[in-house]
Amino acid sequence: MVDFSLLLAGFADVFTLTNMLFILGGVALGQIVGAIPGLSIIMALAIAVPLTYGLDTLAAISFLISVNKGGTIGGAVPAILLNVPGSAESAATTMDGHPMAKNGKPMKAMKYALYHSVSGDLASDIVLILLAAPLAIVALNMGPVEITALMILAFTVISGLVGDSMIKGLISAAFGILVATVGLDPGMATPRFTFDILEFYDGVPLTAVSIGALAMSGVLVGLLGMRATDETQNSAISIKGRTREESVVTFAEFWANRFVAMRAFFIGTIIGAIPGLGSTTAGFLSYSVNKQAAKDPEAFGKGDARGIAASETANSAVVGANLIPLLTLGIPGNIAAALLVSAFIIHGIQPGPLLFEQQAQLVYGMFGAMLVANFCNLGVGQFGMRFWAMVVSAPGTVIYPAAMLLCFAGSFVITGATFGVYVMITAAVFGYLMRSFGYSIVAFIVAFLLTPQLESAVVRARLITNDNPAELFSHPIALVLIAMSVGSIIYLGPRKKKAPRDGDLPAPTSQ
């Protein structure tokens, strides 16, 4: 049962000057980063996590969520003006967004993207708020055996849905598990893989690994690709001199796409709640479904507003929905949610169903921050659209060195020593190699995050079953989850990918 006093207290916590400024700043930062081809929201989040170390927990989580929300909208700007998505989430938006801009309506296309993105995000946040607490109650009734089986299912599903193949995904996950075992054994407290290095006794620093594998490796890809031409830098469609009709989206025009947006919302919410899929998949699937459902599918791809609505509503609906498995089961839905886990851990909080019992006021405060961030997204996007149109031409010679400096600073801040910088550099090299050979960084990071929880569950499950496999038959839910894991390997193993996914983490476009 929801404690309304905690609910009201949590929502009230959001409306302080500090929290509101961090939400507004996070949204603005996210939109700027999303609008710059060559950077990504994942890079921004990885760098931002250590910068929140000294903040209040609610302010830190609110800031990171706002960055994520802003980036989804910002990525549509270069997708429309340059035909180059600022982030993978906006790849499907290029199909109709850029043709509409070429038809003389760049501002109109960007506003369509803004309005539908905000509406999809807001609706998915409401679904999260309504479903998270009841699902957490169900999750609390699961024992160590069921949790172990659930973790195994999460590893197999994520490994199969991201990256080039199931085998490479499982190898990436195994590597993440191996790195996570560095430190003291949770059962016997004996050192593992420490090589007599004192800093390794506490394990490999999570944030340094995230910054290196996600952000710094992306910077390396961008720097090594600087030899590419600068054609995109000067090919942005101008937004100057447009008439009101070419720049304004009326309510009637927005409302005309309501059925497209509803389909897109349902697709985005369902996909967001499934670990391993994410915004890119949602955008392409929604675009395809709505095109097939249209009476005139041939109009799609020629600057049709329905194409923008289908893509942007779906990819933004994922932003709220991907927190459902995180808050109810402790399993991050995608890489952005995984980075939120590291922020929770930095502040001494373990995400999962117990969060609603132990930190209910914080959870409700986070929900309130998400709702506020949506309206800030609308306001910042509405007034900042023309500025973002200029941001898309920022040169890589400025962007990449600045991002590299932030990576070094963030790694040093989180560990308080150069040890974190060394870990970050090592992770960056491995991240670059994983990108180059098609191994999933998402599977690696998620496995690295979940391994401590998996180890704890395995130790308790062994005690309950007395190491007797036959005891599994007294846990039917665990058997079903294990059967689903086997089925996912059989089904997803030989499956070929039809569209880019969030887990692919494409290389940044060089400027």
Side-chain angles (χ1 to χ4, degrees):
M1 191 70 180
V2 176
D3 188 333
F4 284 98
S5 62
L6 288 176
L7 176 65
L8 293 175
F11 273 67
D13 289 342
V14 178
F15 294 97
T16 65
L17 179 61
T18 301
N19 287 336
M20 294 297 288
L21 287 176
F22 275 108
I23 292 172
L24 187 63
V27 164
L29 176 62
Q31 291 194 16
I32 292 173
V33 172
I36 301 175
L39 296 185
S40 71
I41 294 308
I42 300 304
M43 293 169 62
L45 284 172
I47 295 171
V49 167
L51 302 181
T52 63
Y53 183 76
L55 298 179
D56 174 74
T57 304
L58 180 57
I61 300 300
S62 300
F63 175 71
L64 295 173
I65 288 175
S66 301
V67 171
N68 190 29
K69 287 178 177 291
T72 306
I73 289 177
V77 176
I80 291 169
L81 298 182
L82 294 172
N83 201 27
V84 176
S87 57
E89 292 87 349
S90 301
T93 306
T94 61
M95 296 181 180
D96 275 289
H98 190 62
M100 182 180 284
K102 290 174 67 177
N103 292 338
K105 301 177 181 178
M107 281 297 296
K108 199 178 192 81
M110 288 192 289
K111 287 185 178 179
Y112 267 121
L114 173 65
Y115 299 156
H116 285 288
S117 184
V118 170
S119 61
D121 199 347
L122 179 62
S124 73
D125 287 349
I126 294 173
V127 170
L128 168 67
I129 293 169
L130 295 176
L131 292 182
L135 289 176
I137 294 174
V138 174
L140 282 171
N141 294 321
M142 298 176 66
V145 177
E146 288 78 15
I147 291 175
T148 301
L150 180 65
M151 292 291 178
I152 295 172
L153 176 61
F155 285 144
T156 55
V157 170
I158 291 174
S159 298
L161 290 175
V162 300
D164 289 346
S165 69
M166 168 68 83
I167 297 300
K168 287 185 175 181
L170 289 174
I171 291 173
S172 300
F175 183 53
I177 293 173
L178 178 64
V179 175
T181 56
V182 174
L184 297 179
D185 176 88
M188 304 297 294
T190 55
R192 302 177 301 189
F193 307 117
T194 58
F195 305 104
D196 291 328
I197 299 175
L198 183 62
E199 288 84 354
F200 276 146
Y201 277 72
D202 289 330
V204 180
L206 168 62
T207 306
V209 171
S210 300
I211 293 175
L214 295 170
M216 192 63 174
S217 66
V219 172
L220 290 177
V221 171
L223 286 173
L224 293 174
M226 288 288 287
R227 291 189 298 264
T229 63
D230 292 337
E231 292 178 4
T232 58
Q233 185 171 339
N234 299 313
S235 60
I237 295 174
S238 175
I239 62 173
K240 296 180 180 179
R242 304 296 178 180
T243 64
R244 177 178 173 80
E245 184 181 353
E246 294 173 332
S247 303
V248 175
V249 176
T250 65
F251 179 77
E253 290 173 323
F254 172 79
W255 187 246
N257 299 318
R258 60 190 180 279
F259 296 115
V260 172
M262 288 176 63
R263 288 191 207 99
F265 159 69
F266 284 115
I267 291 171
T269 301
I270 292 171
I271 286 180
I274 301 174
L277 292 179
S279 303
T280 310
T281 305
F284 277 104
L285 180 59
S286 174
Y287 187 90
S288 176
V289 168
N290 279 287
K291 182 177 180 179
Q292 293 174 6
K295 296 180 180 178
D296 54 343
E298 67 280 356
F300 281 69
K302 299 179 181 178
D304 196 310
R306 291 173 295 178
I308 300 175
S311 170
E312 287 297 315
T313 304
N315 65 35
S316 294
V318 172
V319 176
N322 64 29
L323 295 182
I324 293 175
L326 173 63
L327 295 179
T328 58
L329 302 171
I331 297 174
N334 63 4
I335 198 66
L339 290 171
L340 284 178
V341 172
S342 62
F344 275 116
I345 293 174
I346 285 174
H347 290 274
I349 297 171
Q350 178 62 49
L354 288 174
L355 195 60
F356 286 86
E357 283 190 355
Q358 300 170 353
Q359 299 283 345
Q361 185 170 332
L362 173 64
V363 174
Y364 295 136
M366 185 177 71
F367 289 162
M370 294 174 72
L371 296 177
V372 171
N374 286 319
F375 292 103
C376 289
N377 236 342
L378 180 62
V380 172
Q382 183 74 21
F383 292 103
M385 200 68 73
R386 294 183 181 275
F387 177 69
W388 310 149
M390 293 186 292
V391 167
V392 298
S393 60
T397 51
V398 174
I399 294 169
Y400 295 130
M404 182 179 290
L405 180 62
L406 289 172
C407 288
F408 279 101
S411 301
F412 182 84
V413 166
I414 201 63
T415 58
T418 55
F419 173 71
V421 177
Y422 297 144
V423 171
M424 184 271 293
I425 294 173
T426 304
V429 173
F430 277 105
Y432 175 78
L433 293 174
M434 290 176 73
R435 288 175 187 262
S436 301
F437 292 99
Y439 288 87
S440 172
I441 298 180
V442 175
F444 166 75
I445 291 292
V446 171
F448 181 75
L449 281 169
L450 294 182
T451 294
Q453 189 175 350
L454 174 64
E455 279 196 286
S456 176
V458 168
V459 170
R460 288 181 289 139
R462 291 180 59 189
L463 291 173
I464 290 174
T465 60
N466 292 319
D467 287 335
N468 183 7
E471 288 292 321
L472 286 174
F473 290 100
S474 61
H475 298 271
I477 295 178
L479 287 175
V480 171
L481 293 173
I482 292 173
M484 291 173 65
S485 300
V486 175
S488 66
I489 293 175
I490 295 172
Y491 176 68
L492 297 174
R495 191 178 176 194
K496 293 183 179 180
K497 290 153 56 85
K498 296 182 179 179
R501 301 182 190 276
D502 288 351
D504 298 338
L505 290 172
T509 304
S510 58
Q511 289 285 296

